[in-house]
Amino acid sequence: MGIFNMEIIEKMPSIEHGEDWECLRREIVSRAVRFTGNIVFDFRLLLTDPICVRQAGRLLWHAIRAYQPSVLVGPGFGAAPLLFATAVAALDEGVHVQTLMVRDQRKSHNQKKWVEGARQPDNSRAIMIDDFMESG
């Protein structure tokens, strides 16, 4: 069974419909949703706006903090703005979470890393953060 089963989803806190949410919701509808054969949520352009990325980071941290992650993992560098905005939102609440970025290909120079960031202890609680969703 996948990590996102109904039991986990039911435990997720609801997002308060405050100013951050309303502003970000308007931006998502106008700048991040595409209708192709499927509905596509592409937050990459939206997350180049510092106001939107700050709001998204605060909202995402609010949604995941109950899981008490010690590390946030982003696939590739496209997710970096949301990854770091979420880590900063956690830090604003006094919670220090580490970040890791997983490359789609190993670097061919320097240390030839596949994963950027400090190695985390075994059994660290991690949450994946991405800025693109087409299905699932």
Side-chain angles (χ1 to χ4, degrees):
M1 176 172 283
I3 192 166
F4 292 108
N5 60 35
M6 287 308 294
E7 182 179 318
I8 290 174
I9 291 172
E10 289 170 359
K11 291 181 182 177
M12 289 184 74
S14 63
I15 295 175
E16 297 174 18
H17 291 250
E19 184 178 327
D20 277 350
W21 169 248
E22 288 305 317
C23 182
L24 191 60
R25 183 187 60 78
R26 284 189 300 274
E27 293 297 320
I28 289 169
V29 169
S30 66
R31 295 168 57 182
V33 177
R34 292 193 322 252
F35 296 97
T36 59
N38 296 319
I39 186 168
V40 175
F41 295 93
D42 185 351
F43 297 101
R44 292 174 290 192
L45 181 61
L46 181 75
L47 295 175
T48 61
D49 181 321
I51 293 171
C52 292
V53 77
R54 183 181 62 199
Q55 292 166 333
R58 284 194 303 235
L59 289 166
L60 186 53
W61 175 245
H62 176 80
I64 66 174
R65 68 180 169 204
Y67 300 106
Q68 300 176 340
S70 58
V71 62
L72 304 175
V73 182
F77 285 82
L82 184 56
L83 181 72
F84 289 110
T86 306
V88 168
L91 194 58
D92 287 345
E93 292 186 6
V95 179
H96 185 235
V97 294
Q98 295 292 320
T99 56
L100 298 174
M101 291 183 289
V102 181
R103 296 175 175 279
D104 58 348
Q105 295 180 358
R106 185 182 302 270
K107 283 175 44 175
S108 61
H109 58 284
N110 295 336
Q111 295 180 351
K112 300 183 179 180
K113 289 185 173 184
W114 195 284
V115 178
E116 295 291 339
R119 179 168 170 79
Q120 300 302 300
D122 291 347
N123 299 316
S124 294
R125 186 172 291 201
I127 292 185
M128 290 286 294
I129 294 179
D130 202 357
D131 61 352
F132 184 87
M133 182 175 56
E134 188 171 5
S135 64

